[in-house]
Amino acid sequence: MLIIMDNAATDEQIEIVEDKIRSMGWTPHEIPGALRIAIGITGNKGAVDAGLFSNLAGVVECIPVSKPYKLVSRDVKPEDTVIKLPNVTIGGKELVVMAGPCSVESRSQIMEVAEFVKSQGAQVLRGGAYKPRTSPYSFQGLKEEGLKYLREAGEKFGLSVVTEVKDTETVPLVSEYCDMLQIGARNMHNFSLLEAIGRTRKPVLLKRGLAATVEEWLMAAEYIASQGNYEIALCERGIRTFETYTRNTLDLNSVPLVKHLSHLPILVDPSHGTGSWELVAPMAMASVAAGADGLLVEVHPHPEKALSDGKQSLRPEKFAELIEKLRKIAASCDKSFGAL
Ligand code: PEP
Ligand code: MN
């Protein structure tokens, strides 16, 4: 149920509605919007009786929300959500490029990549310090040391930083070092992690699970929002299908679909979506043409020596070529990209 308040509703009238919601054992969520004040209700088991609220002062309308996800649904908030990072906004007019290595491998590696991607107009530096690897014997990341290098590189070159948080225990530590927390595909169904992230007020990059439907993905976002953190950007990174020539099948349907169903920004990761560097640029361009708010791209100075995901990492010169092409596509899709 979504309660629409009169634009002129007083704080006191809003408080009365919220107290009424709490008295039923439910949770009120004020949904920020440019055109209206709305209060969403979660925690109810069955349908909410509109009669409980429709006669309260300041209430204009009570709208039942039939979708299983509520707070992240477009029905509840028609305006796009725009997330503010220190140097860029996600979900507005700007095309956001998050770029960097799969893993932070050393101080010099992340410094080199940061300087380069910044020179090309990227606004956010990515790099994993806690890596969810298929094999326990593969490189697991530099952990806190990696977080320090990432932060230092971000600060030195004026880039916001995003990095994966792998478990609930490290949420406070990782939050200290980054501007945006990434939830990896393997953790999209980790509900305690989603709730823990929901209790922080850090922007979140929520990857789509390897075998998650769009509805399950939006429900994962709802877990985060249900705890009061609405700063969520979704990231399509491909799903498992019967195709084996590519690492994953990049489901670009999800871009316009998510835009229709939800107010959250959506980015695309063509690196994990394809698994091969040759396919990254065409799929990055297709993502922007499909309406993505941004991209997450793996870039490595020496992909052949990378400790993870070298095959899908762009060399600096290939990244520069991609950026040139993206500028044109962004302009024709009404997105701005960099003043460089
Ligand atoms: C990553 O971004 O390096 C990563 C591990 O991604 P995903 O969770 O999408 O596999
Ligand atoms: Mn990777």
Side-chain angles (χ1 to χ4, degrees):
M1 172 75 64
L2 184 69
I3 300 173
I4 309 295
M5 303 295 295
D6 193 291
N7 261 350
T10 62
D11 289 350
E12 199 190 344
Q13 289 170 338
I14 293 173
E15 202 46 47
I16 289 171
V17 171
E18 294 187 354
D19 282 346
K20 176 96 188 173
I21 296 170
R22 285 189 206 98
S23 74
M24 304 297 295
W26 306 327
T27 311
H29 297 262
E30 273 183 44
I31 317 279
L35 301 173
R36 57 184 193 176
I37 301 161
I39 303 167
I41 301 176
T42 61
N44 53 300
K45 297 282 179 284
V48 174
D49 175 9
L52 287 171
F53 304 98
S54 48
N55 293 327
L56 296 179
V59 173
V60 175
E61 206 185 349
C62 297
I63 307 173
V65 182
S66 53
K67 300 217 173 56
Y69 44 88
K70 318 261 176 216
L71 302 172
V72 305
S73 126
R74 183 73 81 182
D75 302 350
V76 163
K77 179 170 173 273
E79 304 92 14
D80 290 340
T81 283
V82 178
I83 301 171
K84 284 195 179 69
L85 294 187
N87 62 331
V88 70
T89 54
I90 308 173
K93 278 272 166 227
E94 241 177 312
L95 178 73
V96 182
V97 176
M98 305 186 173
C102 178
S103 304
V104 180
E105 298 171 2
S106 67
R107 184 173 177 278
S108 62
Q109 173 237 25
I110 195 71
M111 286 291 176
E112 184 180 347
V113 180
E115 182 168 20
F116 183 76
V117 300
K118 172 72 183 187
S119 75
Q120 298 303 307
Q123 307 97 332
V124 182
L125 179 64
R126 66 144 289 149
Y130 293 87
K131 295 303 301 175
R133 305 305 301 279
T134 303
S135 164
Y137 308 118
S138 301
F139 177 59
Q140 302 286 312
L142 293 181
K143 309 204 163 68
E144 189 171 2
E145 189 189 352
L147 293 175
K148 284 187 179 148
Y149 298 153
L150 185 70
R151 178 87 251 166
E152 188 188 345
E155 269 168 21
K156 177 149 189 213
F157 297 105
L159 292 156
S160 296
V161 299
V162 60
T163 196
E164 178 163 354
V165 59
K166 225 172 59 164
D167 45 45
T168 48
E169 296 77 52
T170 48
V171 170
L173 180 75
V174 178
S175 303
E176 252 180 61
Y177 288 96
C178 69
D179 301 299
M180 186 172 216
L181 292 166
Q182 177 175 323
I183 301 195
R186 291 154 194 81
N187 262 324
M188 192 215 80
H189 285 295
N190 181 342
F191 300 116
S192 12
L193 181 61
L194 297 172
E195 285 179 341
I197 300 284
R199 288 190 292 271
T200 74
R201 291 297 173 265
K202 276 271 170 193
V204 186
L205 186 66
L206 176 63
K207 292 243 184 151
R208 180 176 180 179
L210 275 74
T213 62
V214 167
E215 186 166 295
E216 287 163 343
W217 187 19
L218 291 171
M219 292 304 285
E222 186 79 12
Y223 262 91
I224 301 171
S226 72
Q227 301 300 310
N229 186 351
Y230 308 110
E231 307 269 281
I232 309 160
L234 299 163
C235 182
E236 169 63 59
R237 47 79 72 210
I239 47 174
R240 279 266 168 98
T241 67
F242 51 80
E243 180 54 70
T244 52
Y245 273 17
T246 48
R247 180 175 179 182
N248 290 293
T249 296
L250 187 59
D251 177 17
L252 287 188
N253 291 350
S254 73
V255 175
L257 183 57
V258 161
K259 285 273 167 210
H260 175 69
L261 296 172
S262 172
H263 51 83
L264 299 179
I266 175 162
L267 285 81
V268 176
D269 169 356
S271 307
H272 294 85
T274 63
S276 357
W277 72 265
E278 294 97 326
L279 305 181
V280 169
M283 295 316 285
M285 292 190 284
S287 305
V288 177
D293 294 294
L295 296 165
L296 185 75
V297 181
E298 289 186 338
V299 180
H300 197 289
H302 308 285
E304 66 289 350
K305 293 191 197 144
L307 297 182
S308 59
D309 287 350
K311 280 206 294 212
Q312 66 194 35
S313 300
L314 292 183
R315 290 180 192 284
E317 63 274 19
K318 291 290 171 198
F319 181 67
E321 281 170 25
L322 167 61
I323 291 288
E324 269 325 296
K325 292 179 185 154
L326 282 179
R327 279 185 205 285
K328 294 181 200 140
I329 297 193
S332 63
C333 294
D334 219 16
K335 285 266 184 200
S336 65
F337 178 67
L340 288 159

